[in-house]
């Protein structure tokens, strides 16, 4: 199969054209120059860690260097498919902070004891937020930490209001008790 000549001086033909430099037998999903090691035929060029040592998995035009990607990003093995960044691991305490914050806030409406977890979630959340910011993108889980941190702040405020409420309640009881004994 032959294609008409192209106006582009960098285009040397079509990969499926037998006259194309580097083209080999045409079986399966082949058609890219120098393709090796793919099951079912010549296929796409193999990327690192696959069946070859081609480097970048796409067509490398004249004057272009193979893309190796920044550290931490996978190399592209198949042309036409996007390279997605690797998500950094979550902070080791991210889930714990979120659970403490949510339990302290939601549990406050059933019993006052879970409110005691709020200050822990607030303190741990502040520390984890600082560590994530200092990691410059090497740690994830900021959303979980932020959720636990905010819930911890809210439940700590509720804990303070509850303590103030109990103190006022007992003062009123004591004043009422003293007033009733003084009347006798």
């Amino acid at each position: 199969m032959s294609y008409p000549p192209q106006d582009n001086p960098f285009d040397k033909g079509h990969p499926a054209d037998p006259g194309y430099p580097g083209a080999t037998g045409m079986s399966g999903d082949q058609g890219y120059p120098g393709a090796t090691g793919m099951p079912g035929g010549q296929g796409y060029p193999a990327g690192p860690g696959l069946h070859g040592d081609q480097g970048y998995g796409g067509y490398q035009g004249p004057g272009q260097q193979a893309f190796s990607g920044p550290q931490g990003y996978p190399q592209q093995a198949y042309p036409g498919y996007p390279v997605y960044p690797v998500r950094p691991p979550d902070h080791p305490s991210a889930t714990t902070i979120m659970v403490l914050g949510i339990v302290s806030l939601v549990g406050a409406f059933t019993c006052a004891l879970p409110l005691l977890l709020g200050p822990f979630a607030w303190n741990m959340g502040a520390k984890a937020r600082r560590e994530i910011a200092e990691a410059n993108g090497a740690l994830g889980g900021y959303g979980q930490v932020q959720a636990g941190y905010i819930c911890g702040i809210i439940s700590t405020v509720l804990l303070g209001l509850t303590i103030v409420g109990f103190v006022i309640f007992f003062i009123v009881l004591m004043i009422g008790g003293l007033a009733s004994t003084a009347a006798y």
Side-chain angles (χ1 to χ4, degrees), residues 1 10 20 41 45 60-61 66 84-85 96 104 106 109 117 130 143 161 165 181 183:
M1 168 182 268
F10 296 109
Y20 187 71
Q60 184 177 343
Y84 295 105
T96 305
S104 68
V106 172
F109 297 107
L117 299 175
R130 197 170 37 253
L161 291 174
T181 55

Side-chain angles (χ1 to χ4, degrees), residues 29 38-39 43-47 50-51 56-58 75-83:
D29 61 354
M38 294 301 291
Y44 298 108
L50 295 175
H51 300 285
Y56 175 66
Q75 293 184 346
Q76 188 171 356
Y78 302 103
Y81 288 92
V83 175

Side-chain angles (χ1 to χ4, degrees), residues 96-98 100-102 104 117-126 145 148-149 151-153 155:
T96 305
I97 294 166
M98 183 180 68
L100 282 175
I102 291 173
S104 68
L117 299 175
F120 294 108
W122 186 1
N123 184 31
M124 290 174 63
V145 170
Y149 176 75
C151 289
I153 290 172
S155 62

Side-chain angles (χ1 to χ4, degrees), residues 99-101 103-104 112-122 152 155-156 159:
V99 169
L100 282 175
V103 166
S104 68
L113 277 178
L115 282 175
L116 298 174
L117 299 175
F120 294 108
W122 186 1
S155 62
T156 302
L159 176 65

